[in-house]
Amino acid sequence: MKYLHTIFILCTGLFTASVYAQTPEVEVPTPSPQTTATQSTAGEISGRLLHEQDGQRKPVEFASVALFRTSDSSAVAGVISDEKGYFSITGIPDGTFYMLIQSLGFTTLRRENIIISPDAPQIQLGNIMLNETARQLAEVNVTGQKGLVEYSLDRKIINVDRLPATLGGSALDIMQNVPSVTVDMDGNLSLRGSENVIILVDGKPSGLTGLDRQAVLEQIPASSIESIEVITNPSSKYDADGAAGILNIILKKEKANGFNGSAQLNVGTRDKYNASINLNNRINGKLNLYTSYNLREQRRFNYRIMDRENFLNPELRYLEQRSDGISRDLNNNLRFGFDWDATSKFALSGSILYRPEYDRDRDQAIYNNFNINRQLTQRIVRSNDEEEKGGGFDYQLGIRKKFSKPKRLLTVDATLATSTSTQVALFNQSTFGADGLPSDPALQQRNTRDNNNRVAVMQADFLEPLQNNGKFETGLKYTNRFLDGDFLFENRIGDAMFWQIDERLTNQFIYDEHTSAGYANYGTEMKKWSYQVGMRLEHTTLNTEQRTTGQTSQQNYTYLFPSAFLNYDISKAQKMQLNYTRRINRPWVRALNPFVDLSDPLNISFGNPNLRPELINAYELSHLWYGKSTSLTSTAFYRASTDDITRYRTLRADGVTEQTYLNLARSYSYGLEMVVNQDIARWWKANGNFSYFIRTILSNPEVPNVLSQTNQSWTARVNNSFTFAKGFDGQLSVNYRSPFIIPQGEIMGFFNVDFGMKKDVLNGRGSINLRVSDIFNTLQFRIRTFGEGFESNMIGKRETRIGFIGFTYRFGKQVKQLQREREQRGEGGDGGGDVDEF
């Protein structure tokens, strides 16, 4: 059967992230009666587990120590270490074994070539040192059973497997359950009220994340994500981009030896489907081959209603607008990859991701213009049919080099992402007078966009351990983003037979950005104190070109980005941190591209190629307290920025608004955020997040004072996790955000409730999940905007009340491991007995 596994893997291509990348608890195998009956030697293995903390050796309590036969990896025996770290395994038969020692928060330790024989029946291993996996200079993790949210002083980690309400969804659905993050109806993310967020995948800027963030998050299925890291104040090691911080998506990778895999199918209301398969084969602990395929297809309706009052034109005093649309998205992700530990000191990894996609959006809008007496003066009916086909490749290659000196490490990573797409939009417009008769000839417009994009990244990082738990790290990085957008705009008026090119709107826009960076960090620990200081230097050259008009623009700028972190351990249960970072928000492509978007002819938009980058100084003071069943993180934060990049809308005399982008003078915000984890009962765990902040926006002399304003805002989210029975979990999430300001208005408050359930079946091989998002269908976005001569109110909603039912099937050696871990935690599946391998 094992040979069949290997053949199957080779034929399939075996390459992608698999299920269960972390081992939250440790399997403790139980010796079978047959093994006990055939023992020829009552062998014994004993030892003591220790780890180093604050310069002292301390015991590792309640760690799992498991013994396996080397010949076939069958489980022989297992025990748990006591309060002082001691363990003893008795009744061991003759043979050659290997031992796995595991505990949450520590690197798994494997001891090979343990031989029990009549001549040597007892083996004393002495003191065995374990290395902590999550203890870093700037973070302290809460130990215990993995919950929905794990805390450290510089980041929050959201474990996706603890979110039944997102099963069958995408990364965008997960973001709606992440503390401090909100998502609007267009998929735009904001963190603590700021949309300037950087998205990383496995700590690297994936080619996907170099493009439209909403499209990226919709393409990544929730089933392939292990966790989301929220880093609000990154150190100098990270790119300086992102005023609000970083959201790092950690993909799953199977760590267990042998062949493992999972398959998932989800079906949602109103034609929504997604499926995935993840396969993995780890050979001799040295070579890991993986592959995955994910398919997502969905149809989703949306509508927008807008009322606008025009104070400058009595004939077009009021505008009532409504558009109804439906979108269809079809995304595929096919990934192949490998991890190869060539030697104990050299490792190589690589992957290829292929991502074809197809999108089609159709909508119809009706515009009614009224005069000052509320009499209809004009009606416009406009339909849009937009189709986009495209695809791309992501290539990744990584090298890890260890040295004879412990913890000294060199890593080199290279990524290249390419994507091409063709988008064709067809608009049909009819205009009628007050009498209901056509007042203008029928208008057809066609917009063809050809996009050719490339994102390339080269990065090298070096870590040097120093005395007294100190460390020095440094690195270099080069990033090139090249985007070529060719826009052809054509008109056909009345009975015309041929399309005519509209020279005003036709344009080819080239965006070519080169950023070179270097950084250095130094940190050390001194009893209860620890600190880290760093500096990052970034130089950016940005060239933009409008090839149709011959207009070019170039920007060159160099900035220093310091960072500083100071930690103090008040006690084992309380930690404090003070940190400071400087960051930058570079204008994104849409904000720079002068192409005029006419999809809504009465509300057009275009970019500004002369935008300057925005600079941010961020400060945080954090306190972390955790107990046996409760943990609380409190953070006071202050963020000040200059040259804020913002959307700016003006009204023309003909009743058309134009939106572009400007640099404001500055803005600042400050507030308090609290995140609490509470075990209310053995079957009920809750996670709550509350954030309160005050934001002030100040305009510069070039922008009207209407943009200067201040308001208070707050958000609250509560996630409840329930264990209804063994292997039967549920989640109820409630989210609310109060009104908050934007430069020309205010976004009103909104709330939503999500629910999900998951039931293990087939002795742990499978699980059935059910989720309903936005149960009460309350998630809609209301925006009030104003400017010189106008005021408008908009209500927007896309389909958010969606039900999904799905099934997941797991196979391979991981199934047995997962079941034993559940038994350790007292969960179990829906039945007893061992689970056979596939």
Side-chain angles (χ1 to χ4, degrees), residues 427-722:
F427 303 94
N428 289 279
Q429 179 174 311
S430 299
T431 305
F432 305 90
D435 54 5
L437 299 176
S439 59
D440 295 320
L443 172 65
Q444 284 188 308
Q445 295 173 310
R446 185 168 64 187
N447 175 18
T448 304
R449 306 185 185 188
D450 291 318
N451 297 301
N452 187 3
N453 305 322
R454 180 185 70 244
V455 180
V457 180
M458 285 287 296
Q459 180 172 351
D461 299 280
F462 179 73
L463 173 64
E464 175 68 19
L466 304 176
Q467 294 180 349
N468 301 321
N469 296 317
K471 67 175 181 179
F472 174 77
E473 53 185 352
T474 185
L476 298 172
K477 184 174 184 178
Y478 169 77
T479 304
N480 172 230
R481 293 183 176 90
F482 179 86
L483 299 97
D484 181 354
D486 194 354
F487 305 89
L488 175 64
F489 209 96
E490 302 168 286
N491 295 322
R492 191 163 66 184
I493 302 175
D495 297 328
M497 298 295 293
F498 304 101
W499 292 96
Q500 292 185 337
I501 296 177
D502 192 330
E503 300 289 352
R504 301 169 305 157
L505 305 178
T506 295
N507 180 42
Q508 184 177 8
F509 183 70
I510 305 296
Y511 176 97
D512 190 11
E513 176 194 296
H514 300 260
T515 299
S516 302
Y519 76 92
N521 283 332
Y522 169 76
T524 189
E525 299 181 28
M526 301 172 294
K527 295 183 179 180
K528 291 189 175 183
W529 292 91
S530 61
Y531 69 88
Q532 177 177 285
V533 293
M535 183 68 72
R536 186 178 186 90
L537 175 68
E538 290 191 355
H539 173 74
T540 298
T541 299
L542 173 60
N543 297 295
T544 61
E545 179 184 359
Q546 301 175 49
R547 289 192 173 173
T548 306
T549 62
Q551 181 181 353
T552 62
S553 176
Q554 184 179 73
Q555 296 185 34
N556 286 279
Y557 48 86
T558 303
Y559 291 108
L560 285 172
F561 300 96
S563 66
F565 294 80
L566 178 64
N567 301 325
Y568 177 64
D569 293 348
I570 302 173
S571 66
K572 291 184 178 180
Q574 295 190 71
K575 318 288 177 183
M576 293 201 71
Q577 183 195 52
L578 175 66
N579 62 55
Y580 159 76
T581 63
R582 191 187 194 209
R583 304 192 60 74
I584 190 172
N585 177 39
R586 296 180 175 86
W588 56 102
V589 179
R590 286 186 177 180
L592 293 168
N593 189 349
F595 171 75
V596 179
D597 184 353
L598 286 177
S599 55
D600 183 345
L602 298 186
N603 301 279
I604 65 176
S605 61
F606 51 90
N608 176 5
N610 298 315
L611 283 176
R612 300 181 300 275
E614 173 184 344
L615 294 173
I616 306 98
N617 289 285
Y619 305 82
E620 286 189 1
L621 175 63
S622 300
H623 174 263
L624 172 63
W625 173 85
Y626 55 92
K628 185 177 181 180
S629 59
T630 306
S631 62
L632 173 66
T633 301
S634 305
T635 302
F637 59 90
Y638 175 81
R639 185 173 64 233
S641 61
T642 57
D643 284 336
D644 276 28
I645 299 172
T646 185
R647 297 177 179 90
Y648 180 58
R649 187 176 293 277
T650 56
L651 177 66
R652 301 190 322 209
D654 60 359
V656 175
T657 63
E658 294 183 343
Q659 177 181 280
T660 187
Y661 297 85
L662 297 177
N663 288 107
L664 292 178
R666 63 188 184 276
S667 72
Y668 59 88
S669 61
Y670 57 91
L672 176 68
E673 181 178 73
M674 302 181 69
V675 184
V676 61
N677 257 3
Q678 177 65 54
D679 295 349
I680 300 174
R682 186 175 182 181
W683 52 273
W684 180 9
K685 302 178 187 299
N687 166 264
N689 168 244
F690 175 80
S691 181
Y692 169 83
F693 57 91
I694 298 174
R695 187 184 185 198
T696 298
I697 301 172
L698 301 174
S699 65
N700 62 31
E702 302 173 1
V703 181
N705 289 329
V706 71
L707 295 180
S708 297
Q709 55 180 322
T710 299
N711 91 327
Q712 304 176 44
S713 183
W714 59 278
T715 63
R717 177 183 284 114
V718 177
N719 281 299
N720 298 276
S721 299
F722 307 98

Side-chain angles (χ1 to χ4, degrees), residues 6-20:
T6 305
I7 294 172
F8 177 76
I9 293 163
L10 294 175
C11 293
T12 309
L14 257 208
F15 294 139
T16 243
S18 188
V19 192
Y20 214 75

Side-chain angles (χ1 to χ4, degrees), residues 186-188 199 207-219 388 453 483 590:
D186 295 319
N188 298 312
I199 305 294
L208 283 170
T209 61
L211 309 175
D212 188 314
R213 286 187 302 182
Q214 178 194 356
V216 170
L217 297 174
E218 287 282 11
Q219 287 185 41
E388 181 177 7
N453 305 322
L483 299 97
R590 286 186 177 180

Side-chain angles (χ1 to χ4, degrees), residues 88 153 199 220 303 338 346 373-374 426 455 589 771 832 837:
S88 177
L153 284 174
I199 305 294
I220 303 176
Y303 68 80
F338 73 93
F346 182 81
N373 297 317
R374 281 285 183 181
L426 181 64
V455 180
V589 179
R771 76 176 179 100
E837 296 178 17

Side-chain angles (χ1 to χ4, degrees), residues 141 229 250 254 317 327 343 546 621 663 668 677 814:
N141 285 341
E229 294 182 345
I250 306 297
E254 177 58 52
R317 182 60 179 266
S327 63
T343 68
Q546 301 175 49
L621 175 63
N663 288 107
Y668 59 88
N677 257 3
Q814 65 165 339

